[in-house]
Amino acid sequence: MASRASYFQTQDNLSIRYASYAPDGPAAAATVILLGGRAEFIEKHQETIEDLTRRHFAVYTMDWCGQGLSDRLLKDRQKGHVDSFDRHIDDLDFFVETIVRPNAAFPLIFLAHSMGGHIALRYLRRASAYFAGAILVSPMIDIRTNSVPYPFARKLVRLASRHNWSERYIPGAGYYDPEQKPFENNPLTSDSERFMDEKQKIAGNPALAIGGVTYGWLSAAFDSIDAMFAADSWKKLAVPVLMLGGSADRVISISAMQQMCQRLADCRCVLIQNAKHEILKETDSIRRQFWLEFDQFIKKIM
């Protein structure tokens, strides 16, 4: 598997890290654009990248602005912050148009997790002509606020905006601390080794670490969620979509995912029993279910 890493510059002169991978042997049959979720980084998805190149896909991926080794938006780089998800959509558009399309093997396919799934879906309303399909894993169509009632969380964000608290951590959030995130009862994965994988990579490069989100990030997320549900032309999106969620997901709203799938012209929604939020980092048995669905979907669209 050959790889290449570099950076591109945004219109406001921020550096965004990206990487590309080519399968061994003959030329790739297609290109997968792999998009991670909030707080994730390229290295976290190395196993998935290897799974894709073994299936003879080329892979392009990137670190979102504000996380990974891309430029952060605040002086305190630990704060998970963005002013608008439109920034992410614009960066993805530049990445696809300038980096991927001139070099990629067609067709293009999205494989996007959580926040990446949200951004990919909104992006497809803007530019879908080059895409054969999109696989959205635990897509952040809407978020769960768990111990905080959802309507109260919304009110708290509006209050924070009025008081110019956008760069403050939301209650309960803070700096990255691996000791505060034990495997027991974690909301992400049932696989202890894959759970430790992220921590080990951050230990090897502490610059990858990021803490919790700010009020500004949460406000931007709610605004983007509202924009997604307010859009009335989803049936015009002809790109086939596969959505996969876990029955044990405590991060995103499964019901919102199912509702959005029903609004699309060509969408299959799959619920994987006992899977938590990070299906791609789950146990071998859960990952096998994912790859079975993935392979069947690829046969359908190609």
Side-chain angles (χ1 to χ4, degrees), residues 68-148:
L69 297 184
S70 292
D71 280 347
R72 307 282 172 100
L73 292 167
L74 301 179
K75 290 182 179 179
D76 184 349
R77 60 179 286 111
Q78 279 281 315
K79 291 183 174 181
H81 182 78
V82 72
D83 45 6
S84 170
F85 275 37
D86 288 347
R87 174 188 290 275
H88 291 322
I89 298 169
D90 289 342
D91 291 348
L92 177 57
D93 184 56
F94 184 91
F95 181 52
V96 171
E97 293 294 329
T98 307
I99 308 297
V100 180
R101 274 189 56 211
N103 303 291
F106 282 78
L108 304 182
I109 301 161
F110 272 132
L111 173 56
H113 172 246
S114 194
M115 185 185 81
H118 177 106
I119 296 164
L121 192 56
R122 285 197 60 200
Y123 169 82
L124 284 172
R125 293 187 72 248
R126 177 192 296 188
S128 62
Y130 306 104
F131 285 84
I135 301 102
L136 309 182
V137 187
S138 308
M140 194 193 81
I141 306 301
D142 203 349
I143 57 178
R144 295 183 59 177
T145 55
N146 296 319
S147 60
V148 178

Coordinates of all heavy atoms in Angstrom, one line a residue, residues 68-148:
G68 N -7.0 16.9 14.7 CA -5.9 16.2 14.1 C -4.7 17.1 13.9 O -4.4 17.9 14.8
L69 N -4.0 17.0 12.8 CA -2.8 17.9 12.6 C -3.1 19.0 11.6 O -2.2 19.7 11.1 CB -1.7 17.0 12.0 CG -1.1 16.0 13.0 CD1 0.1 15.3 12.4 CD2 -0.8 16.6 14.4
S70 N -4.4 19.2 11.3 CA -4.8 20.4 10.6 C -4.8 21.6 11.6 O -4.8 21.4 12.8 CB -6.2 20.3 10.1 OG -6.3 19.3 9.0
D71 N -4.8 22.8 11.1 CA -4.8 24.0 12.0 C -6.0 24.0 12.9 O -7.1 23.7 12.5 CB -4.7 25.3 11.1 CG -3.3 25.6 10.6 OD1 -2.4 25.0 11.1 OD2 -3.2 26.5 9.7
R72 N -5.7 24.4 14.1 CA -6.8 24.6 15.1 C -7.3 26.1 15.0 O -6.5 26.9 14.6 CB -6.3 24.3 16.5 CG -5.7 22.8 16.6 CD -6.7 21.7 16.7 NE -6.1 20.4 16.6 CZ -5.9 19.6 17.7 NH1 -6.2 20.0 18.9 NH2 -5.4 18.4 17.5
L73 N -8.5 26.3 15.5 CA -9.1 27.6 15.3 C -8.9 28.5 16.5 O -9.2 29.7 16.4 CB -10.6 27.5 15.0 CG -10.9 26.9 13.6 CD1 -12.3 26.4 13.5 CD2 -10.5 27.8 12.5
L74 N -8.5 28.0 17.6 CA -8.3 28.8 18.8 C -6.8 28.7 19.3 O -6.2 27.7 19.0 CB -9.2 28.3 19.9 CG -10.7 28.4 19.6 CD1 -11.6 27.9 20.8 CD2 -11.2 29.8 19.3
K75 N -6.4 29.7 20.0 CA -5.0 29.6 20.6 C -4.9 28.4 21.5 O -3.8 27.7 21.6 CB -4.7 30.9 21.4 CG -4.5 32.1 20.5 CD -4.2 33.3 21.3 CE -4.0 34.5 20.4 NZ -3.6 35.7 21.2
D76 N -5.9 28.1 22.3 CA -6.0 26.9 23.1 C -6.4 25.7 22.1 O -7.5 25.5 21.9 CB -7.0 27.0 24.2 CG -7.0 25.8 25.1 OD1 -6.4 24.8 24.8 OD2 -7.6 25.9 26.2
R77 N -5.4 25.0 21.6 CA -5.7 23.9 20.6 C -6.4 22.7 21.2 O -6.9 21.9 20.4 CB -4.4 23.5 19.9 CG -3.3 22.9 20.8 CD -2.1 22.5 20.0 NE -2.3 21.3 19.2 CZ -2.4 21.3 17.9 NH1 -2.3 22.4 17.2 NH2 -2.6 20.1 17.3
Q78 N -6.5 22.7 22.5 CA -7.3 21.5 23.1 C -8.8 21.7 22.9 O -9.5 20.7 23.0 CB -6.9 21.4 24.6 CG -5.6 20.7 24.9 CD -5.8 19.2 24.8 OE1 -6.7 18.7 25.3 NE2 -4.9 18.6 24.1
K79 N -9.2 22.9 22.7 CA -10.7 23.1 22.6 C -11.2 22.7 21.2 O -10.7 23.2 20.2 CB -11.0 24.6 22.8 CG -10.8 25.0 24.3 CD -11.2 26.5 24.5 CE -11.1 26.8 26.0 NZ -11.5 28.2 26.3
G80 N -12.3 21.8 21.3 CA -12.9 21.4 20.0 C -13.9 22.5 19.6 O -15.0 22.7 20.1
H81 N -13.4 23.3 18.5 CA -14.2 24.5 18.2 C -14.3 24.6 16.7 O -13.4 24.3 15.9 CB -13.5 25.7 18.7 CG -14.2 27.0 18.5 ND1 -15.3 27.4 19.2 CD2 -14.0 28.0 17.5 CE1 -15.7 28.6 18.7 NE2 -14.9 28.9 17.7
V82 N -15.4 25.1 16.2 CA -15.6 25.5 14.8 C -16.7 26.6 14.9 O -17.6 26.5 15.7 CB -16.0 24.4 13.9 CG1 -17.4 23.8 14.1 CG2 -15.8 24.8 12.4
D83 N -16.7 27.6 14.0 CA -17.7 28.6 14.0 C -18.9 28.3 13.2 O -20.0 28.7 13.4 CB -17.1 29.9 13.5 CG -16.2 29.8 12.2 OD1 -16.2 28.6 11.7 OD2 -15.5 30.7 11.8
S84 N -18.7 27.4 12.1 CA -19.8 27.0 11.3 C -19.4 25.7 10.6 O -18.3 25.6 10.1 CB -20.2 28.1 10.3 OG -21.1 27.6 9.3
F85 N -20.3 24.8 10.4 CA -20.1 23.6 9.7 C -19.9 23.9 8.2 O -19.4 23.0 7.4 CB -21.2 22.5 9.9 CG -21.0 21.7 11.1 CD1 -20.4 22.2 12.3 CD2 -21.3 20.4 11.2 CE1 -20.2 21.5 13.4 CE2 -21.1 19.6 12.3 CZ -20.5 20.1 13.4
D86 N -20.4 25.0 7.8 CA -20.2 25.4 6.4 C -18.7 25.5 6.0 O -18.3 25.2 4.9 CB -20.8 26.8 6.1 CG -22.4 26.7 6.1 OD1 -22.9 25.6 6.0 OD2 -23.0 27.8 6.1
R87 N -17.9 25.8 7.0 CA -16.4 25.8 6.9 C -16.0 24.4 6.5 O -15.2 24.2 5.5 CB -15.7 26.2 8.1 CG -14.2 26.1 8.1 CD -13.6 26.4 9.5 NE -13.7 27.8 9.9 CZ -12.9 28.7 9.5 NH1 -11.9 28.5 8.7 NH2 -13.1 30.0 9.9
H88 N -16.5 23.4 7.2 CA -16.1 22.0 6.8 C -16.6 21.6 5.4 O -15.9 20.9 4.7 CB -16.7 21.0 7.8 CG -16.1 21.1 9.2 ND1 -14.8 21.3 9.4 CD2 -16.7 21.0 10.5 CE1 -14.6 21.4 10.8 NE2 -15.7 21.2 11.4
I89 N -17.8 22.0 5.1 CA -18.3 21.7 3.7 C -17.5 22.4 2.7 O -17.2 21.8 1.6 CB -19.8 22.1 3.6 CG1 -20.6 21.3 4.7 CG2 -20.3 21.8 2.2 CD1 -22.0 21.8 4.8
D90 N -17.1 23.6 2.9 CA -16.2 24.3 1.9 C -14.9 23.6 1.8 O -14.3 23.5 0.7 CB -16.0 25.8 2.3 CG -17.3 26.6 2.2 OD1 -18.2 26.2 1.4 OD2 -17.3 27.7 2.8
D91 N -14.3 23.2 2.9 CA -13.0 22.5 2.9 C -13.1 21.2 2.1 O -12.2 20.8 1.4 CB -12.5 22.3 4.3 CG -12.1 23.6 5.0 OD1 -12.0 24.6 4.3 OD2 -11.8 23.5 6.2
L92 N -14.2 20.5 2.4 CA -14.4 19.2 1.7 C -14.6 19.5 0.2 O -14.0 18.7 -0.7 CB -15.6 18.5 2.2 CG -16.0 17.2 1.5 CD1 -14.9 16.2 1.6 CD2 -17.3 16.6 2.2
D93 N -15.3 20.5 -0.2 CA -15.4 20.8 -1.6 C -14.1 21.1 -2.3 O -13.8 20.6 -3.4 CB -16.4 22.1 -1.7 CG -16.7 22.4 -3.2 OD1 -17.2 21.5 -3.9 OD2 -16.4 23.5 -3.6
F94 N -13.2 21.9 -1.6 CA -11.9 22.2 -2.1 C -11.1 20.9 -2.3 O -10.4 20.7 -3.3 CB -11.2 23.2 -1.2 CG -9.9 23.6 -1.8 CD1 -9.8 24.7 -2.6 CD2 -8.7 22.9 -1.5 CE1 -8.5 25.1 -3.1 CE2 -7.5 23.3 -2.0 CZ -7.4 24.4 -2.8
F95 N -11.2 20.1 -1.2 CA -10.4 18.8 -1.2 C -10.9 17.9 -2.4 O -10.0 17.4 -3.1 CB -10.7 18.1 0.1 CG -10.0 16.8 0.3 CD1 -8.6 16.7 0.1 CD2 -10.7 15.6 0.7 CE1 -8.0 15.4 0.3 CE2 -10.0 14.4 0.9 CZ -8.7 14.3 0.7
V96 N -12.2 17.8 -2.6 CA -12.7 16.9 -3.7 C -12.3 17.5 -5.1 O -11.8 16.8 -6.0 CB -14.2 16.7 -3.6 CG1 -14.7 16.1 -4.8 CG2 -14.5 15.9 -2.4
E97 N -12.5 18.8 -5.2 CA -12.3 19.4 -6.6 C -10.9 19.6 -6.9 O -10.5 19.4 -8.1 CB -13.0 20.8 -6.6 CG -14.5 20.7 -6.5 CD -15.2 20.1 -7.7 OE1 -14.6 20.2 -8.8 OE2 -16.2 19.4 -7.5
T98 N -10.0 19.9 -5.9 CA -8.6 20.2 -6.2 C -7.6 19.1 -6.0 O -6.7 19.0 -6.8 CB -8.2 21.4 -5.4 OG1 -9.1 22.5 -5.5 CG2 -6.8 21.9 -5.7
I99 N -7.9 18.3 -5.0 CA -6.9 17.2 -4.7 C -7.4 15.9 -5.2 O -6.6 15.1 -5.9 CB -6.8 17.1 -3.2 CG1 -6.4 18.5 -2.5 CG2 -5.7 16.0 -2.8 CD1 -5.1 19.0 -3.0
V100 N -8.7 15.5 -5.0 CA -9.1 14.2 -5.3 C -9.4 14.0 -6.8 O -8.9 13.1 -7.5 CB -10.4 13.8 -4.5 CG1 -10.9 12.4 -4.9 CG2 -10.1 13.9 -3.0
R101 N -10.3 14.8 -7.4 CA -10.8 14.6 -8.7 C -9.7 14.6 -9.8 O -9.7 13.7 -10.7 CB -11.8 15.7 -9.1 CG -13.3 15.3 -8.7 CD -14.2 16.3 -9.3 NE -14.1 16.4 -10.7 CZ -14.4 17.5 -11.4 NH1 -14.7 18.6 -10.8 NH2 -14.3 17.5 -12.7
P102 N -8.7 15.5 -9.7 CA -7.7 15.4 -10.8 C -6.8 14.2 -10.7 O -6.1 13.9 -11.7 CB -6.8 16.7 -10.4 CG -7.7 17.6 -9.6 CD -8.5 16.6 -8.8
N103 N -6.8 13.4 -9.6 CA -5.9 12.3 -9.5 C -6.6 11.0 -9.2 O -5.9 9.9 -9.3 CB -5.0 12.6 -8.3 CG -4.2 13.9 -8.5 OD1 -3.3 14.0 -9.3 ND2 -4.5 14.9 -7.6
A104 N -7.9 11.0 -8.9 CA -8.5 9.8 -8.5 C -9.0 8.8 -9.6 O -9.2 9.2 -10.7 CB -9.8 10.1 -7.6
A105 N -9.1 7.5 -9.2 CA -9.8 6.6 -10.1 C -11.3 6.7 -9.8 O -11.7 6.6 -8.7 CB -9.3 5.2 -9.7
F106 N -12.0 6.8 -10.9 CA -13.5 7.0 -10.8 C -14.1 5.6 -10.8 O -13.6 4.7 -11.4 CB -14.0 7.9 -11.9 CG -13.8 9.3 -11.6 CD1 -12.5 9.9 -11.8 CD2 -14.8 10.1 -11.1 CE1 -12.3 11.2 -11.5 CE2 -14.6 11.5 -10.8 CZ -13.3 12.0 -11.0
P107 N -15.3 5.5 -10.2 CA -16.1 6.5 -9.5 C -15.6 6.8 -8.1 O -14.8 6.1 -7.6 CB -17.5 5.8 -9.5 CG -17.2 4.4 -9.3 CD -16.0 4.1 -10.2
L108 N -16.2 7.9 -7.5 CA -15.9 8.3 -6.2 C -17.0 7.8 -5.3 O -18.2 7.8 -5.6 CB -15.8 9.8 -6.1 CG -14.9 10.5 -7.0 CD1 -14.9 12.0 -6.7 CD2 -13.5 10.0 -6.9
I109 N -16.6 7.4 -4.1 CA -17.5 6.8 -3.1 C -17.2 7.4 -1.7 O -16.0 7.5 -1.3 CB -17.4 5.3 -3.0 CG1 -17.7 4.7 -4.3 CG2 -18.3 4.7 -1.9 CD1 -17.2 3.2 -4.5
F110 N -18.1 7.9 -1.0 CA -17.9 8.4 0.4 C -18.0 7.2 1.4 O -19.0 6.4 1.3 CB -19.0 9.4 0.8 CG -18.6 10.8 0.5 CD1 -19.5 11.7 -0.2 CD2 -17.4 11.4 0.8 CE1 -19.2 13.0 -0.5 CE2 -17.0 12.7 0.5 CZ -18.0 13.5 -0.2
L111 N -17.1 7.1 2.3 CA -17.2 6.3 3.5 C -17.0 7.3 4.7 O -15.9 7.8 4.9 CB -16.3 5.2 3.6 CG -16.2 4.4 4.9 CD1 -17.6 3.8 5.3 CD2 -15.2 3.3 4.8
A112 N -18.0 7.7 5.4 CA -17.9 8.8 6.4 C -18.6 8.4 7.7 O -19.6 7.8 7.7 CB -18.6 10.0 5.8
H113 N -17.9 8.8 8.8 CA -18.3 8.4 10.1 C -18.8 9.6 10.9 O -18.1 10.7 10.9 CB -17.2 7.7 10.9 CG -17.4 7.5 12.3 ND1 -16.8 8.1 13.3 CD2 -18.3 6.7 12.9 CE1 -17.2 7.7 14.5 NE2 -18.2 6.8 14.3
S114 N -19.9 9.5 11.6 CA -20.4 10.4 12.6 C -20.5 11.9 12.0 O -21.2 12.1 11.0 CB -19.5 10.4 13.8 OG -20.1 11.1 14.9
M115 N -19.7 12.8 12.5 CA -19.7 14.2 12.0 C -19.4 14.2 10.5 O -19.9 14.9 9.7 CB -18.8 15.1 12.8 CG -18.8 16.5 12.4 SD -17.6 17.5 13.2 CE -16.1 17.2 12.3
G116 N -18.4 13.3 10.1 CA -18.1 13.2 8.7 C -19.3 12.8 7.8 O -19.4 13.3 6.7
G117 N -20.1 11.9 8.4 CA -21.3 11.5 7.6 C -22.3 12.7 7.5 O -22.9 12.9 6.4
H118 N -22.4 13.5 8.5 CA -23.3 14.7 8.4 C -22.8 15.6 7.3 O -23.5 16.1 6.5 CB -23.2 15.4 9.8 CG -24.0 16.7 9.8 ND1 -25.2 16.8 10.5 CD2 -23.7 17.9 9.3 CE1 -25.6 18.1 10.4 NE2 -24.7 18.8 9.7
I119 N -21.5 15.9 7.3 CA -20.9 16.8 6.4 C -21.0 16.3 5.0 O -21.3 17.0 4.0 CB -19.4 17.1 6.8 CG1 -19.4 17.9 8.1 CG2 -18.7 18.0 5.7 CD1 -18.0 17.9 8.8
A120 N -20.7 15.0 4.8 CA -20.8 14.4 3.5 C -22.2 14.5 2.9 O -22.3 14.8 1.7 CB -20.4 12.9 3.6
L121 N -23.2 14.2 3.7 CA -24.6 14.3 3.2 C -24.9 15.7 2.8 O -25.6 15.9 1.8 CB -25.5 13.8 4.3 CG -27.0 13.5 3.9 CD1 -27.0 12.5 2.7 CD2 -27.8 12.9 5.0
R122 N -24.6 16.7 3.6 CA -24.9 18.1 3.2 C -24.1 18.4 2.0 O -24.6 19.2 1.1 CB -24.5 19.0 4.4 CG -25.5 19.0 5.5 CD -25.4 20.2 6.4 NE -25.6 21.5 5.6 CZ -25.2 22.7 6.0 NH1 -24.5 22.8 7.2 NH2 -25.5 23.7 5.3
Y123 N -22.9 18.0 1.9 CA -22.0 18.3 0.7 C -22.7 17.7 -0.6 O -22.7 18.3 -1.7 CB -20.6 17.7 0.9 CG -19.8 17.7 -0.4 CD1 -19.2 18.9 -0.8 CD2 -19.7 16.6 -1.2 CE1 -18.4 18.9 -2.0 CE2 -18.9 16.6 -2.4 CZ -18.3 17.8 -2.8 OH -17.6 17.8 -3.9
L124 N -23.3 16.5 -0.5 CA -23.8 15.9 -1.7 C -25.0 16.7 -2.3 O -25.3 16.5 -3.5 CB -24.3 14.4 -1.4 CG -23.1 13.4 -1.2 CD1 -23.7 12.1 -0.7 CD2 -22.4 13.2 -2.6
R125 N -25.7 17.4 -1.5 CA -26.7 18.3 -2.0 C -26.1 19.4 -2.9 O -26.8 19.9 -3.8 CB -27.5 19.0 -0.9 CG -28.4 18.0 -0.1 CD -29.3 18.7 0.9 NE -30.4 19.3 0.2 CZ -30.6 20.6 0.1 NH1 -29.7 21.5 0.7 NH2 -31.6 21.1 -0.5
R126 N -24.9 19.7 -2.7 CA -24.2 20.8 -3.4 C -23.5 20.2 -4.7 O -23.6 20.8 -5.8 CB -23.1 21.4 -2.6 CG -22.3 22.5 -3.3 CD -21.0 22.9 -2.5 NE -21.4 23.6 -1.3 CZ -20.5 24.2 -0.5 NH1 -19.2 24.2 -0.9 NH2 -20.8 24.8 0.6
A127 N -22.9 19.0 -4.6 CA -22.1 18.5 -5.7 C -22.1 16.9 -5.6 O -21.4 16.4 -4.8 CB -20.7 19.0 -5.6
S128 N -23.0 16.3 -6.4 CA -23.1 14.9 -6.3 C -22.8 14.2 -7.6 O -22.7 12.9 -7.7 CB -24.6 14.5 -5.9 OG -25.5 14.9 -6.9
A129 N -22.4 14.9 -8.6 CA -22.3 14.3 -10.0 C -21.2 13.3 -10.1 O -21.4 12.3 -10.9 CB -22.1 15.4 -11.0
Y130 N -20.2 13.4 -9.3 CA -19.1 12.4 -9.5 C -19.1 11.2 -8.5 O -18.2 10.4 -8.5 CB -17.8 13.2 -9.2 CG -17.6 14.4 -10.1 CD1 -17.8 15.7 -9.6 CD2 -17.4 14.3 -11.5 CE1 -17.7 16.8 -10.4 CE2 -17.3 15.4 -12.3 CZ -17.4 16.7 -11.7 OH -17.4 17.8 -12.5
F131 N -20.2 11.1 -7.7 CA -20.3 10.1 -6.7 C -21.2 9.0 -7.1 O -22.4 9.2 -7.5 CB -20.7 10.7 -5.4 CG -19.6 11.5 -4.7 CD1 -19.4 12.8 -5.1 CD2 -18.8 10.9 -3.8 CE1 -18.3 13.6 -4.5 CE2 -17.7 11.6 -3.2 CZ -17.5 13.0 -3.6
A132 N -20.7 7.8 -6.9 CA -21.5 6.6 -7.2 C -22.3 6.2 -6.0 O -23.3 5.5 -6.1 CB -20.6 5.4 -7.6
G133 N -21.9 6.6 -4.8 CA -22.6 6.2 -3.6 C -22.0 6.8 -2.4 O -20.9 7.3 -2.4
A134 N -22.7 6.6 -1.2 CA -22.2 7.1 0.1 C -22.5 6.1 1.2 O -23.7 5.7 1.3 CB -22.7 8.5 0.4
I135 N -21.5 5.7 1.9 CA -21.8 4.8 3.1 C -21.6 5.7 4.3 O -20.4 6.2 4.5 CB -20.8 3.6 3.1 CG1 -21.0 2.8 1.8 CG2 -21.1 2.7 4.3 CD1 -19.9 3.0 0.8
L136 N -22.6 5.9 5.1 CA -22.6 6.8 6.2 C -22.7 5.9 7.5 O -23.7 5.3 7.7 CB -23.7 7.8 6.2 CG -23.8 8.6 4.8 CD1 -24.9 9.6 4.9 CD2 -22.4 9.3 4.5
V137 N -21.6 5.9 8.3 CA -21.6 5.1 9.5 C -21.8 5.9 10.7 O -21.1 6.9 11.0 CB -20.2 4.4 9.6 CG1 -20.1 3.4 10.7 CG2 -19.8 3.8 8.3
S138 N -22.9 5.5 11.5 CA -23.3 6.3 12.6 C -23.4 7.8 12.3 O -22.8 8.6 13.0 CB -22.4 6.1 13.8 OG -22.2 4.7 14.1
P139 N -24.1 8.2 11.2 CA -24.0 9.6 10.8 C -24.7 10.5 11.8 O -25.7 10.2 12.4 CB -24.8 9.6 9.5 CG -25.7 8.4 9.6 CD -25.0 7.4 10.4
M140 N -24.0 11.7 12.0 CA -24.5 12.6 13.0 C -25.7 13.4 12.4 O -25.5 14.6 12.1 CB -23.4 13.5 13.5 CG -23.7 14.3 14.7 SD -22.4 15.6 15.0 CE -23.0 16.9 13.9
I141 N -26.8 12.8 12.1 CA -28.0 13.5 11.6 C -28.5 14.4 12.7 O -28.9 15.5 12.5 CB -29.0 12.5 11.1 CG1 -28.4 11.6 10.1 CG2 -30.2 13.3 10.6 CD1 -27.8 12.2 8.9
D142 N -28.5 13.9 14.0 CA -28.8 14.7 15.2 C -28.0 14.0 16.3 O -27.6 12.9 16.2 CB -30.3 14.7 15.5 CG -30.7 15.9 16.3 OD1 -29.8 16.6 16.8 OD2 -31.9 16.1 16.5
I143 N -27.8 14.8 17.4 CA -27.0 14.3 18.5 C -27.8 14.0 19.7 O -29.0 14.5 19.8 CB -25.9 15.3 18.9 CG1 -26.5 16.7 19.2 CG2 -24.9 15.5 17.7 CD1 -25.5 17.7 19.6
R144 N -27.3 13.2 20.6 CA -28.0 12.9 21.8 C -27.3 13.7 22.9 O -26.1 13.8 23.0 CB -27.9 11.4 22.2 CG -28.7 10.5 21.2 CD -28.6 9.1 21.6 NE -29.2 8.8 22.9 CZ -29.3 7.6 23.5 NH1 -28.9 6.6 22.8 NH2 -29.9 7.5 24.6
T145 N -28.1 14.3 23.8 CA -27.5 15.1 24.9 C -27.6 14.3 26.2 O -27.2 14.9 27.2 CB -28.3 16.4 25.0 OG1 -29.7 16.2 25.1 CG2 -28.0 17.3 23.7
N146 N -28.1 13.1 26.2 CA -28.1 12.2 27.3 C -28.6 12.8 28.6 O -29.7 13.1 28.7 CB -26.7 11.6 27.4 CG -26.3 10.7 26.2 OD1 -27.2 10.0 25.7 ND2 -25.1 10.9 25.7
S147 N -27.7 13.1 29.6 CA -28.1 13.5 30.9 C -28.7 14.9 30.9 O -29.5 15.3 31.8 CB -27.0 13.4 31.9 OG -25.9 14.3 31.5
V148 N -28.4 15.7 29.8 CA -29.0 17.0 29.7 C -30.2 17.0 28.7 O -30.0 16.5 27.6 CB -28.0 18.0 29.2 CG1 -28.6 19.4 29.0 CG2 -26.8 18.1 30.1

